[in-house]
Amino acid sequence: MKLEKFKEKNQKKRFMIIFTVCCVILLAGAFLYTSFAVFTEEKEFNIINGMYQDPGDLYFAVYVDGEITNTFPKKEDGYSFDASQSSCTNGATVSWDNESWSAAINFTNYQATNMSRTKCTMYFKKDSTAVDFIKDLADNTNDLVYDETSDNNLRYIGANPNNYVSFNGELWRIIGVMNNIDNGSGTKETRLKIIRNESIGSYRWEYETSNWNISEIEKELNDTYVNTITSLYQEMIDTVLWNLGGISNTSNTPAVFYTQERLSTVFGDNPSTWTGKVGLVYPSDYGFATSGDSTINRTECLSYPLDNWSNYANCYNNDWLYAGSHYWTMSTMSSMKAYYVNTYNGNIESRYVDASFDVKPTLYLLSSVKITEGTGTSSDPYTLSL
């Protein structure tokens, strides 16, 4: 009997142990299930340098300049997030906030795959200036060519190149990479030159003088329009020396216009230069933007005087600056006339300054401005940052 009682107690003890183990397993299973269920709940926690929205089991793989690393680059290291290469598994997506220097994971389309962890692979690349970015593109596109001038500027050409850029929430276009641009104090740098895609309206140059310094058009651009640009983008605009050489002979090729625009020849009391922020395109900018076509190539187009382009539709129809309504340029033909782009016939022509034509603001960006995103199309323009 004593042995019987001992066995009975031992069986009860074994049962209790088995029962306890089963309960622990069930509780652990419920805990694990709950742990994965919180993928639908957003939490925040610190990882290296940023705050991350994390729904549960999440880890990162970080690549800097193509090399995997266990640390994120610091904000001051001169790197930017490469969204085109970065991605997450399980339907999640990753983005990067440059201001707070942190990542955010979006789990809107999250789908669990066999209880696997979510992995986000993030790529960072060394920042390059907008000038360097465009120069690098020149090796892989026919949209960019160097002009035939002593400054060897790199220009966008063709009927509709991918040169769109977002500036001040507006669509602008890159004219090109312009060399030897003076800041007004003798310091010369290479800068990106851009033009607003749409006109800000129709304005007369002035009532009776082609003196840019006292013209209505200069005041409209630099006193009125510039104040509509937000502080972020105003900081990107460079103050530079603009050439105001007068050109009395209207029958010039783009290369001749380019040379004469930079001469000290003026009309009356007109200045030969102006130091400021917002100006207009030059006749040479318009001419050098052509690509020509298989019938009349670019070289041939550039050999024709710009006041005779009406005879060469192959030239102006393949020039992206031939667009919209007539618009003013920066150059003057006499003390009372200035040049404009005639968008009826493709010519560069002159008109009395009291005529009203479209005005397309044009400016130079600081040499330190960067292109951080975009492909340059009108639907995905380049984005800029300092």
Side-chain angles (χ1 to χ4, degrees):
M1 290 294 294
K2 289 182 180 179
L3 183 59
E4 298 268 320
K5 288 180 179 179
F6 176 78
K7 287 178 70 177
E8 184 178 351
K9 288 180 179 179
N10 191 46
Q11 288 174 346
K12 288 181 178 179
K13 184 177 181 180
R14 184 181 299 171
F15 174 80
M16 290 301 295
I17 292 173
I18 294 173
F19 178 79
T20 301
V21 171
C22 289
C23 288
V24 170
I25 292 173
L26 288 172
L27 288 172
F31 177 79
L32 288 172
Y33 177 82
T34 303
S35 295
F36 279 96
V38 297
F39 273 80
T40 60
E41 175 186 329
E42 286 195 345
K43 304 183 299 183
E44 285 190 347
F45 64 101
N46 284 316
I47 290 186
I48 306 176
N49 293 323
M51 295 293 294
Y52 299 93
Q53 299 296 319
D54 170 57
D57 201 359
L58 171 69
Y59 71 103
F60 294 84
V62 180
Y63 287 82
V64 177
D65 287 335
E67 299 291 331
I68 193 165
T69 178
N70 58 1
T71 59
F72 284 86
K74 295 179 181 178
K75 190 173 184 178
E76 61 271 20
D77 288 344
Y79 283 87
S80 59
F81 177 63
D82 189 347
S84 64
Q85 292 198 71
S86 302
S87 63
C88 297
T89 59
N90 299 339
T93 58
V94 60
S95 59
W96 187 263
D97 184 349
N98 285 323
E99 192 66 29
S100 62
W101 202 248
S102 63
I105 312 301
N106 187 329
F107 287 90
T108 302
N109 298 316
Y110 171 79
Q111 291 182 338
T113 55
N114 299 322
M115 307 292 277
S116 64
R117 294 186 295 172
T118 297
K119 174 185 176 182
C120 289
T121 305
M122 302 176 66
Y123 287 84
F124 292 84
K125 57 187 177 181
K126 192 71 175 178
D127 285 341
S128 62
T129 65
V131 165
D132 291 335
F133 183 92
I134 299 302
K135 282 184 175 180
D136 289 342
L137 285 179
D139 295 331
N140 301 304
T141 178
N142 293 323
D143 291 346
L144 284 160
V145 298
Y146 288 93
D147 64 25
E148 296 75 18
T149 68
S150 58
D151 291 314
N152 199 33
N153 304 304
L154 180 63
R155 297 176 182 271
Y156 273 99
I157 64 169
N160 189 29
N162 292 329
N163 61 341
Y164 292 90
V165 60
S166 177
F167 182 84
N168 192 44
E170 304 165 345
L171 204 59
W172 288 56
R173 302 189 76 168
I174 300 170
I175 294 174
V177 176
M178 316 305 284
N179 297 317
N180 301 316
I181 302 301
D182 195 318
N183 67 355
S185 301
T187 301
K188 295 183 178 182
E189 287 187 287
T190 298
R191 295 170 171 85
L192 213 63
K193 187 177 186 180
I194 64 175
I195 181 172
R196 196 174 188 267
N197 190 52
E198 300 293 336
S199 165
I200 60 170
S202 182
Y203 297 89
R204 66 184 184 187
W205 179 286
E206 175 52 43
Y207 180 64
E208 57 182 2
T209 178
S210 63
N211 185 330
W212 174 265
N213 283 13
I214 61 174
S215 67
E216 291 180 11
I217 201 169
E218 189 276 330
K219 299 297 183 292
E220 179 63 34
L221 289 171
N222 292 277
D223 292 343
T224 303
Y225 173 71
V226 77
N227 289 324
T228 68
I229 300 175
T230 64
S231 58
L232 171 64
Y233 290 96
Q234 285 198 35
E235 292 175 4
M236 296 184 187
I237 304 173
D238 210 352
T239 299
V240 303
L241 184 146
W242 298 72
N243 295 287
L244 303 175
I247 307 166
S248 58
N249 180 9
T250 62
S251 188
N252 298 309
T253 64
V256 173
F257 261 114
Y258 187 86
T259 299
Q260 295 191 357
E261 289 158 3
R262 284 151 182 77
L263 297 179
S264 58
T265 303
V266 295
F267 305 110
D269 295 329
N270 289 3
S272 60
T273 61
W274 169 76
T275 300
K277 289 189 172 184
V278 187
L280 301 172
V281 293
Y282 292 105
S284 62
D285 289 326
Y286 168 70
F288 280 127
T290 186
S291 64
D293 60 15
S294 58
T295 303
I296 302 179
N297 63 31
R298 184 169 188 269
T299 300
E300 189 174 352
C301 286
L302 297 180
S303 70
Y304 299 135
L306 288 174
D307 67 345
N308 196 32
W309 267 24
S310 56
N311 292 319
Y312 307 103
N314 309 70
C315 298
Y316 63 77
N317 281 331
N318 290 289
D319 187 321
W320 64 271
L321 280 171
Y322 173 73
S325 301
H326 304 333
Y327 61 94
W328 288 115
T329 75
M330 196 81 173
S331 297
T332 58
M333 186 267 178
S334 71
S335 60
M336 295 184 64
K337 287 185 177 182
Y339 288 100
Y340 71 100
V341 178
N342 186 324
T343 54
Y344 292 162
N345 60 22
N347 285 344
I348 288 289
E349 298 177 354
S350 64
R351 191 72 175 266
Y352 284 104
V353 292
D354 61 354
S356 291
F357 293 138
D358 278 0
V359 171
K360 295 185 176 183
T362 303
L363 54 87
Y364 294 88
L365 298 175
L366 287 170
S367 58
S368 58
V369 169
K370 304 176 185 67
I371 289 177
T372 54
E373 294 181 36
T375 57
T377 64
S378 58
S379 59
D380 184 31
Y382 294 124
T383 57
L384 303 173
S385 70
L386 284 171

